């Protein structure tokens, strides 16, 4: 079987722009798996699922999103961001600005209560919470920085970053 040289793209929409994101690379998936296993809960952890706020014209595809069973099984094509508990993005090498700027702008506007950025490039993480508006701009009122191997606290969850793999120097996203 011949492999395509054009990797699949994941469309996202933010502030009237269509963003074509690269699909996650192999090195991205072990981080997502270890995060998912640590968040084991009675809630549903969804991978790479559309999350949309039609009123704002924003469509994002978080790496991990935690929702109630009711939202996970609701008859809709996308997650309602105001019904999620936590969004986790694993920073990619190909476009870190999307996680640190674009999604940091969009998620509080969408009402996402907790946004965790995990960066395997340098072994860091940032937890943002408490969406608010300042001078008409959506922001998070709080943030906490972490470095691997610290334990991250998000609500009732504890995430041990010591078990999260870092990207190797020569690997892709």
């Amino acid at each position: 079987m011949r492999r395509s040289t054009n990797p699949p793209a994941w469309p996202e929409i933010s502030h009237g722009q269509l963003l074509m994101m690269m699909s996650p690379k192999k090195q991205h998936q072990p981080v997502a798996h270890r995060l998912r296993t640590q968040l084991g809960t009675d809630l549903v952890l969804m991978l790479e699922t559309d999350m949309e706020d039609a009123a704002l014209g924003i469509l994002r595809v978080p790496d991990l999103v935690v929702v109630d069973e009711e939202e996970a099984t609701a008859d809709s094509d996308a997650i309602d961001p105001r019904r999620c508990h936590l969004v986790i993005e694993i920073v990619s090498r190909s476009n870190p600005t999307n996680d640190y700027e674009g999604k940091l702008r969009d998620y509080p506007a969408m009402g996402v209560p907790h946004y965790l950025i995990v960066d395997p490039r340098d072994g860091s993480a940032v937890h943002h919470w408490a969406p608010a508006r300042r001078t008409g701009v959506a922001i998070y009122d709080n943030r906490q920085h972490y470095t691997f191997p610290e334990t991250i606290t998000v609500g009732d969850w504890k995430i041990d970053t010591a078990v999260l793999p870092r990207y190797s120097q020569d690997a892709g996203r």
Side-chain angles (χ1 to χ4, degrees), residues 13-172:
I13 300 169
S14 176
H15 294 276
Q17 293 184 341
L18 178 63
L19 308 169
M20 299 304 287
M21 307 306 298
M22 300 281 291
S23 63
K25 299 289 184 229
K26 179 179 148 189
Q27 293 77 20
H28 189 266
Q29 298 308 324
V31 179
H33 170 72
R34 290 186 184 163
L35 286 165
R36 192 170 63 237
T37 59
Q38 289 190 60
L39 292 171
T41 176
D42 58 341
L43 300 172
V44 178
L45 291 102
M46 302 183 86
L47 281 166
E48 299 153 350
T49 304
D50 288 355
M51 186 170 68
E52 181 178 26
D53 186 320
L56 295 175
I58 300 173
L59 170 70
R60 290 296 193 168
V61 183
D63 291 322
L64 288 165
V65 61
V66 179
V67 297
D68 291 316
E69 178 78 23
E70 182 181 353
E71 178 61 20
T73 59
D75 189 25
S76 62
D77 291 333
I79 295 168
D80 178 347
R82 287 171 177 75
R83 297 192 64 197
C84 78
H85 300 280
L86 167 65
V87 166
I88 300 175
E89 293 291 357
I90 303 163
V91 176
S92 68
R93 290 185 181 178
S94 63
N95 191 3
T97 304
N98 191 41
D99 298 320
Y100 282 110
E101 293 178 18
K103 291 181 179 183
L104 187 55
R105 175 191 64 231
D106 289 349
Y107 288 154
M110 296 169 81
V112 172
H114 293 274
Y115 174 35
L116 179 62
I117 303 170
V118 176
D119 196 336
R121 299 172 312 155
D122 65 3
S124 67
V126 185
H127 172 210
H128 299 271
W129 72 98
R133 289 193 95 54
R134 297 282 181 264
T135 63
V137 176
I139 61 162
Y140 284 104
D141 262 352
N142 301 295
R143 77 171 168 256
Q144 177 69 45
H145 293 267
Y146 297 90
T147 56
F148 295 15
E150 291 179 306
T151 298
I152 299 169
T153 301
V154 177
D156 292 335
W157 295 294
K158 303 279 186 206
I159 300 169
D160 179 8
T161 62
V163 302
L164 301 179
R166 303 257 317 262
Y167 292 154
S168 66
Q169 295 299 325
D170 60 343

